[in-house]
Amino acid sequence: MKQLLRWSAVLRRQFGERVQKVSLDIGAGCPHRQGLHGGGCIFCDERGGGSGAFIRGISLREQVRKGIAGAWKHYGTRSIILYFQSYSATNLPLERFAAALNEALDAAAALGANVRAISVSTRPDLLPEPVLDYLQELTELCQVWLELGVQTADPRGLQWLRRGHGLDVVERALARLGKTRVQVCAHLIAGIPGEFEDQLARSALWLTDRGVQALKFHPLCVLRGTALEELYRSGRFAPLSREEYVDRLVDALCRLPDGVVLQRLTAGVRPSRLVAPAWILEKEPLERAIAARFLSARRDVPAL
Ligand code: SF4
């Protein structure tokens, strides 16, 4: 019987204890934005999907220190993932990118943390060969994950989100990554206007057919200061309801091949940054509802 393969459980099995993410913001920016404050994908705010630590002037060492202290205080673990979350973390010359990674690794070592994995978020069109080679070298040290913002496998959806690239770019990126030991986690969004009702499932299968090992799902949500906020306030965009999201996500989960790791089933948004939908703030009840629906739905799933 199909199971939800949560990353937290996989890591606990691999390392014998909880492994906690330490989110880092190196202010790498994104070639698709105008500086840190404007432009870019329709849903992206000035924090570039991250903590905003760089904009607030918090040094990388301090971010690492705080993350490790939080992992110890809340979960009693020194096992961590250095998660380069904000913007497109590979948007730096190799020397600066490598210097940031080394600084974070040194800081973690000095504080006695066990770095079990490094995870780097970026765009599919931003994988320079030297950076990929460097990430490949790091796989000798620990797990290395690339978090690829794909969002949808529907070319019209990519256009609506203003991603600035087509599906061919994603396909080429996955083909290159498939030749490395770097593991890939792709991000997918549900609720893009005009998409098929089962687009989330279609996109997930498109990605796993191309070797993606893990997925992160979330509904299209409206953050403050984004282009999407303007559409929402003028009535030209409506987010999915909670029920619609659970339906679409569970449909996708039931169709996934065995062994695909689920790194996230919904968005994690600070209340102060969120415009809509409010229901995503109730994360734990939502995750319980998803798990319950999955259990009842997994028995009888027709093929796509
Ligand atoms: S690629 Fe990522 S960081 Fe760049 S604009 Fe889009 S969501 Fe923001």
Side-chain angles (χ1 to χ4, degrees):
M1 190 71 80
K2 192 180 269 295
Q3 304 287 335
L4 291 180
L5 189 58
R6 303 299 303 261
W7 199 32
S8 51
V10 173
L11 289 169
R12 193 181 278 274
R13 267 204 306 277
Q14 287 172 334
F15 299 108
E17 62 179 344
R18 181 180 176 114
V19 183
Q20 185 61 24
K21 266 189 172 172
V22 172
S23 293
L24 302 172
D25 180 352
I26 53 175
C30 172
H32 192 40
R33 300 176 60 90
Q34 291 134 24
L36 294 189
H37 295 279
C41 303
I42 201 164
F43 54 84
C44 186
D45 70 359
E46 65 174 9
R47 295 173 176 220
S51 63
F54 185 84
I55 285 179
R56 286 182 284 135
I58 304 172
S59 73
L60 183 56
R61 276 186 182 270
E62 180 59 8
Q63 293 176 50
V64 173
R65 189 197 65 74
K66 277 186 174 169
I68 290 171
W72 179 248
K73 181 175 171 195
H74 299 296
Y75 306 108
T77 185
R78 294 203 184 280
S79 277
I80 60 162
I81 300 162
L82 292 174
Y83 177 29
F84 294 83
Q85 179 185 24
S86 309
Y87 309 101
S88 295
T90 57
N91 185 38
L92 291 174
L94 176 62
E95 300 69 37
R96 278 185 60 201
F97 178 70
L101 255 78
N102 283 326
E103 186 179 345
L105 284 166
D106 285 351
L111 291 163
N114 297 314
V115 177
R116 305 299 193 181
I118 291 168
S119 183
V120 176
S121 282
T122 197
R123 293 169 57 82
D125 60 358
L126 200 59
L127 296 170
E129 210 59 47
V131 170
L132 267 194
D133 289 346
Y134 176 63
L135 291 176
Q136 169 89 335
E137 279 171 29
L138 288 176
T139 60
E140 304 291 336
L141 202 68
C142 61
Q143 292 184 20
V144 178
W145 287 83
L146 201 79
E147 290 213 9
L148 216 50
V150 175
Q151 321 307 0
T152 178
D154 175 4
R156 294 164 309 164
L158 290 175
Q159 209 169 3
W160 195 92
L161 293 172
R162 304 182 190 167
R163 290 288 297 168
H165 63 72
L167 198 57
D168 54 328
V169 169
V170 183
E171 187 138 38
R172 283 200 296 275
L174 293 177
R176 288 173 65 210
L177 285 162
K179 295 182 185 139
T180 72
R181 290 185 299 277
V182 175
Q183 301 179 77
V184 181
C185 172
H187 292 215
L188 284 176
I189 288 179
I192 303 163
E195 71 180 7
F196 296 115
E197 233 173 75
D198 62 354
Q199 185 59 51
L200 197 63
R202 292 177 188 229
S203 298
L205 291 182
W206 188 90
L207 287 163
T208 53
D209 281 351
R210 286 158 181 78
V212 164
Q213 291 100 336
L215 293 169
K216 279 190 174 181
F217 294 98
H218 63 87
L220 184 53
C221 50
V222 185
L223 302 184
R224 290 192 196 289
T226 60
L228 190 57
E229 183 181 9
E230 289 171 34
L231 293 191
Y232 173 74
R233 296 209 185 275
S234 62
R236 286 175 290 157
F237 169 72
L240 292 179
S241 69
R242 185 180 189 270
E243 284 316 299
E244 286 170 324
Y245 180 64
V246 173
D247 280 352
R248 293 179 191 198
L249 176 59
V250 169
D251 178 43
L253 296 176
C254 288
R255 293 171 196 275
L256 284 178
D258 290 341
V260 177
V261 176
L262 302 167
Q263 289 204 7
R264 191 172 69 198
L265 297 180
T266 183
V269 180
R270 283 173 201 269
S272 59
R273 308 296 306 160
L274 182 71
V275 176
W279 56 262
I280 64 168
L281 296 177
E282 303 288 330
K283 202 170 167 186
E284 285 178 15
L286 176 61
E287 294 215 348
R288 281 199 297 275
I290 292 165
R293 280 290 306 285
F294 174 78
L295 284 179
S296 61
R298 65 182 174 173
R299 290 181 182 84
D300 185 23
V301 185
L304 265 181

mmCIF file of all heavy atoms in Angstrom, residues 125-142:
data_model
loop_
_atom_site.group_PDB
_atom_site.id
_atom_site.type_symbol
_atom_site.label_atom_id
_atom_site.label_comp_id
_atom_site.label_asym_id
_atom_site.label_seq_id
_atom_site.Cartn_x
_atom_site.Cartn_y
_atom_site.Cartn_z
ATOM 1 N N ASP A 125 17.300 27.773 -15.015
ATOM 2 C CA ASP A 125 18.191 28.378 -16.015
ATOM 3 C C ASP A 125 19.423 29.004 -15.369
ATOM 4 O O ASP A 125 20.076 29.851 -15.974
ATOM 5 C CB ASP A 125 17.435 29.419 -16.860
ATOM 6 C CG ASP A 125 16.875 30.556 -16.021
ATOM 7 O OD1 ASP A 125 17.032 30.514 -14.777
ATOM 8 O OD2 ASP A 125 16.272 31.484 -16.591
ATOM 9 N N LEU A 126 19.728 28.589 -14.135
ATOM 10 C CA LEU A 126 20.847 29.210 -13.431
ATOM 11 C C LEU A 126 21.739 28.148 -12.797
ATOM 12 O O LEU A 126 21.947 28.116 -11.592
ATOM 13 C CB LEU A 126 20.290 30.163 -12.364
ATOM 14 C CG LEU A 126 21.247 31.234 -11.849
ATOM 15 C CD1 LEU A 126 21.743 32.128 -12.975
ATOM 16 C CD2 LEU A 126 20.567 32.074 -10.791
ATOM 17 N N LEU A 127 22.244 27.263 -13.673
ATOM 18 C CA LEU A 127 23.098 26.177 -13.187
ATOM 19 C C LEU A 127 24.432 26.179 -13.937
ATOM 20 O O LEU A 127 24.701 25.299 -14.765
ATOM 21 C CB LEU A 127 22.403 24.828 -13.413
ATOM 22 C CG LEU A 127 21.102 24.606 -12.641
ATOM 23 C CD1 LEU A 127 20.392 23.356 -13.119
ATOM 24 C CD2 LEU A 127 21.396 24.514 -11.146
ATOM 25 N N PRO A 128 25.263 27.178 -13.654
ATOM 26 C CA PRO A 128 26.550 27.227 -14.365
ATOM 27 C C PRO A 128 27.368 25.959 -14.089
ATOM 28 O O PRO A 128 27.337 25.426 -12.978
ATOM 29 C CB PRO A 128 27.245 28.461 -13.769
ATOM 30 C CG PRO A 128 26.220 29.183 -12.980
ATOM 31 C CD PRO A 128 25.123 28.219 -12.640
ATOM 32 N N GLU A 129 28.082 25.535 -15.109
ATOM 33 C CA GLU A 129 28.871 24.289 -14.998
ATOM 34 C C GLU A 129 29.812 24.290 -13.797
ATOM 35 O O GLU A 129 29.855 23.308 -13.046
ATOM 36 C CB GLU A 129 29.660 24.089 -16.307
ATOM 37 C CG GLU A 129 29.925 22.640 -16.669
ATOM 38 C CD GLU A 129 28.645 21.813 -16.840
ATOM 39 O OE1 GLU A 129 27.698 22.246 -17.520
ATOM 40 O OE2 GLU A 129 28.613 20.719 -16.247
ATOM 41 N N PRO A 130 30.584 25.395 -13.552
ATOM 42 C CA PRO A 130 31.504 25.365 -12.399
ATOM 43 C C PRO A 130 30.763 25.183 -11.070
ATOM 44 O O PRO A 130 31.264 24.504 -10.170
ATOM 45 C CB PRO A 130 32.176 26.751 -12.440
ATOM 46 C CG PRO A 130 31.965 27.255 -13.827
ATOM 47 C CD PRO A 130 30.696 26.644 -14.324
ATOM 48 N N VAL A 131 29.575 25.759 -10.959
ATOM 49 C CA VAL A 131 28.813 25.611 -9.708
ATOM 50 C C VAL A 131 28.343 24.162 -9.566
ATOM 51 O O VAL A 131 28.431 23.568 -8.480
ATOM 52 C CB VAL A 131 27.615 26.591 -9.677
ATOM 53 C CG1 VAL A 131 26.689 26.263 -8.518
ATOM 54 C CG2 VAL A 131 28.120 28.028 -9.565
ATOM 55 N N LEU A 132 27.874 23.581 -10.670
ATOM 56 C CA LEU A 132 27.465 22.169 -10.610
ATOM 57 C C LEU A 132 28.643 21.270 -10.242
ATOM 58 O O LEU A 132 28.497 20.345 -9.429
ATOM 59 C CB LEU A 132 26.908 21.724 -11.959
ATOM 60 C CG LEU A 132 25.406 21.837 -12.173
ATOM 61 C CD1 LEU A 132 24.993 21.046 -13.404
ATOM 62 C CD2 LEU A 132 24.646 21.338 -10.958
ATOM 63 N N ASP A 133 29.807 21.546 -10.824
ATOM 64 C CA ASP A 133 31.004 20.740 -10.498
ATOM 65 C C ASP A 133 31.320 20.858 -9.010
ATOM 66 O O ASP A 133 31.664 19.876 -8.350
ATOM 67 C CB ASP A 133 32.218 21.213 -11.318
ATOM 68 C CG ASP A 133 32.081 20.840 -12.787
ATOM 69 O OD1 ASP A 133 31.215 20.006 -13.109
ATOM 70 O OD2 ASP A 133 32.833 21.410 -13.601
ATOM 71 N N TYR A 134 31.200 22.079 -8.495
ATOM 72 C CA TYR A 134 31.502 22.312 -7.078
ATOM 73 C C TYR A 134 30.510 21.552 -6.188
ATOM 74 O O TYR A 134 30.904 20.898 -5.212
ATOM 75 C CB TYR A 134 31.464 23.813 -6.806
ATOM 76 C CG TYR A 134 31.669 24.175 -5.364
ATOM 77 C CD1 TYR A 134 32.873 23.882 -4.720
ATOM 78 C CD2 TYR A 134 30.660 24.784 -4.629
ATOM 79 C CE1 TYR A 134 33.058 24.192 -3.378
ATOM 80 C CE2 TYR A 134 30.830 25.099 -3.296
ATOM 81 C CZ TYR A 134 32.034 24.801 -2.678
ATOM 82 O OH TYR A 134 32.205 25.103 -1.354
ATOM 83 N N LEU A 135 29.227 21.625 -6.529
ATOM 84 C CA LEU A 135 28.217 20.898 -5.740
ATOM 85 C C LEU A 135 28.476 19.393 -5.797
ATOM 86 O O LEU A 135 28.332 18.676 -4.806
ATOM 87 C CB LEU A 135 26.811 21.220 -6.248
ATOM 88 C CG LEU A 135 26.330 22.657 -5.990
ATOM 89 C CD1 LEU A 135 24.962 22.894 -6.623
ATOM 90 C CD2 LEU A 135 26.260 22.949 -4.490
ATOM 91 N N GLN A 136 28.887 18.942 -6.973
ATOM 92 C CA GLN A 136 29.219 17.517 -7.133
ATOM 93 C C GLN A 136 30.365 17.134 -6.199
ATOM 94 O O GLN A 136 30.327 16.093 -5.550
ATOM 95 C CB GLN A 136 29.584 17.294 -8.605
ATOM 96 C CG GLN A 136 30.189 15.974 -8.939
ATOM 97 C CD GLN A 136 29.131 14.933 -9.280
ATOM 98 O OE1 GLN A 136 27.988 15.023 -8.850
ATOM 99 N NE2 GLN A 136 29.521 13.936 -10.034
ATOM 100 N N GLU A 137 31.383 18.011 -6.074
ATOM 101 C CA GLU A 137 32.498 17.737 -5.140
ATOM 102 C C GLU A 137 31.991 17.644 -3.701
ATOM 103 O O GLU A 137 32.443 16.814 -2.918
ATOM 104 C CB GLU A 137 33.535 18.870 -5.196
ATOM 105 C CG GLU A 137 34.495 18.781 -6.341
ATOM 106 C CD GLU A 137 35.338 20.043 -6.443
ATOM 107 O OE1 GLU A 137 35.588 20.698 -5.414
ATOM 108 O OE2 GLU A 137 35.730 20.379 -7.579
ATOM 109 N N LEU A 138 31.037 18.510 -3.372
ATOM 110 C CA LEU A 138 30.534 18.533 -1.991
ATOM 111 C C LEU A 138 29.779 17.256 -1.623
ATOM 112 O O LEU A 138 29.591 16.964 -0.438
ATOM 113 C CB LEU A 138 29.615 19.742 -1.776
ATOM 114 C CG LEU A 138 30.298 21.105 -1.712
ATOM 115 C CD1 LEU A 138 29.245 22.202 -1.588
ATOM 116 C CD2 LEU A 138 31.262 21.178 -0.535
ATOM 117 N N THR A 139 29.353 16.498 -2.623
ATOM 118 C CA THR A 139 28.641 15.250 -2.309
ATOM 119 C C THR A 139 29.565 14.250 -1.596
ATOM 120 O O THR A 139 29.109 13.273 -1.023
ATOM 121 C CB THR A 139 28.025 14.576 -3.558
ATOM 122 O OG1 THR A 139 29.074 14.264 -4.476
ATOM 123 C CG2 THR A 139 26.988 15.467 -4.230
ATOM 124 N N GLU A 140 30.909 14.492 -1.654
ATOM 125 C CA GLU A 140 31.852 13.644 -0.903
ATOM 126 C C GLU A 140 31.707 13.883 0.604
ATOM 127 O O GLU A 140 32.072 13.041 1.423
ATOM 128 C CB GLU A 140 33.303 13.972 -1.309
ATOM 129 C CG GLU A 140 33.601 13.850 -2.792
ATOM 130 C CD GLU A 140 33.576 12.395 -3.265
ATOM 131 O OE1 GLU A 140 33.791 11.513 -2.421
ATOM 132 O OE2 GLU A 140 33.318 12.165 -4.458
ATOM 133 N N LEU A 141 31.173 15.063 0.935
ATOM 134 C CA LEU A 141 31.103 15.524 2.334
ATOM 135 C C LEU A 141 29.783 15.159 2.995
ATOM 136 O O LEU A 141 29.725 14.751 4.154
ATOM 137 C CB LEU A 141 31.252 17.054 2.286
ATOM 138 C CG LEU A 141 31.716 17.797 3.498
ATOM 139 C CD1 LEU A 141 33.172 17.453 3.771
ATOM 140 C CD2 LEU A 141 31.580 19.313 3.225
ATOM 141 N N CYS A 142 28.714 15.364 2.258
ATOM 142 C CA CYS A 142 27.369 15.137 2.817
ATOM 143 C C CYS A 142 26.383 15.081 1.636
ATOM 144 O O CYS A 142 26.779 15.250 0.494
ATOM 145 C CB CYS A 142 26.971 16.273 3.777
ATOM 146 S SG CYS A 142 26.891 17.890 2.994
#
